[in-house]
């Protein structure tokens, strides 16, 4: 299957916290990087989600926000993934930014060229990707 989402994380569910309407699930990649998703309880049942389930998480790059120099700041986004900028692909209006996480997974964000300049993003710089848990879509092998 091919998808248009730039961010594709494969891993195993390492936590499932059920609620009345939604559940919070944690995916851990082979390299140890973690991503949290919020899904409906209906999805938990229909996808048969449980600890140990292999899953694939998808996040579109424009939904990823980038931060630099955030020491001492707290954010409501469940996924705060810090790593090293490994590539910048500049376009006429936007730039695709690749951030390699400590475990080896890569997070892609699409931000304006102005944002790249304002944040001082360059290959080798440290940056943090913020992803709302509700923006993570999960899939399981059929």
């Amino acid at each position: 299957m091919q998808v248009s989402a730039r961010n594709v994380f494969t891993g195993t569910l390492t936590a499932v916290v059920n609620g009345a309407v939604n559940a919070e699930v944690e995916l851990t990649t082979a390299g140890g990087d973690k991503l949290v998703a919020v899904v409906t309880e209906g999805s938990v049942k229909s996808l048969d989600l449980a600890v140990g389930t292999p899953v694939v998480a998808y996040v579109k790059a424009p939904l990823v926000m980038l931060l630099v120099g955030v020491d001492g700041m707290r954010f409501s986004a469940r996924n705060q993934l810090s790593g090293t900028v490994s590539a910048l692909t500049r376009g006429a209006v936007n730039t695709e930014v690749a951030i390699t996480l400590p475990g080896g997974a890569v997070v892609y964000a699409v931000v304006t060229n102005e944002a790249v300049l304002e944040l001082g993003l360059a290959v080798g710089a440290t940056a943090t990707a913020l992803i709302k848990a509700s923006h993570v879509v999960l899939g399981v092998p059929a």
Side-chain angles (χ1 to χ4, degrees):
M1 174 175 70
Q2 296 179 334
V3 297
S4 65
R6 188 70 172 101
N7 295 294
V8 179
F9 303 93
T10 59
T12 304
L13 288 186
T14 50
V16 177
V17 179
N18 296 98
V21 176
N22 291 322
E24 180 180 275
V25 299
E26 178 186 74
L27 170 146
T28 301
T29 67
D33 297 313
K34 296 184 183 298
L35 190 68
V36 174
V38 171
V39 298
T40 65
E41 283 294 335
S43 291
V44 170
K45 289 181 180 78
S46 67
L47 297 175
D48 200 22
L49 298 178
V51 171
T53 302
V55 295
V56 180
Y58 303 95
V59 181
K60 296 201 50 88
L63 296 176
V64 178
M65 295 176 281
L66 298 180
L67 305 165
V68 296
V70 295
D71 296 333
M73 293 291 295
R74 295 181 351 187
F75 299 94
S76 62
R78 292 285 291 131
N79 298 293
Q80 301 175 29
L81 309 169
S82 295
T84 303
V85 175
S86 51
L88 296 166
T89 305
R90 186 180 169 99
V93 176
N94 295 319
T95 297
E96 179 185 76
V97 180
I99 299 173
T100 301
L101 304 178
V106 179
V107 179
Y108 296 93
V110 173
V111 298
T112 64
N113 294 336
E114 290 80 13
V116 171
L117 293 173
E118 290 171 7
L119 294 172
L121 294 172
V123 172
T126 299
T128 299
L130 288 185
I131 304 169
K132 291 180 55 109
S134 59
H135 287 167
V136 179
V137 176
L138 296 181
V140 296

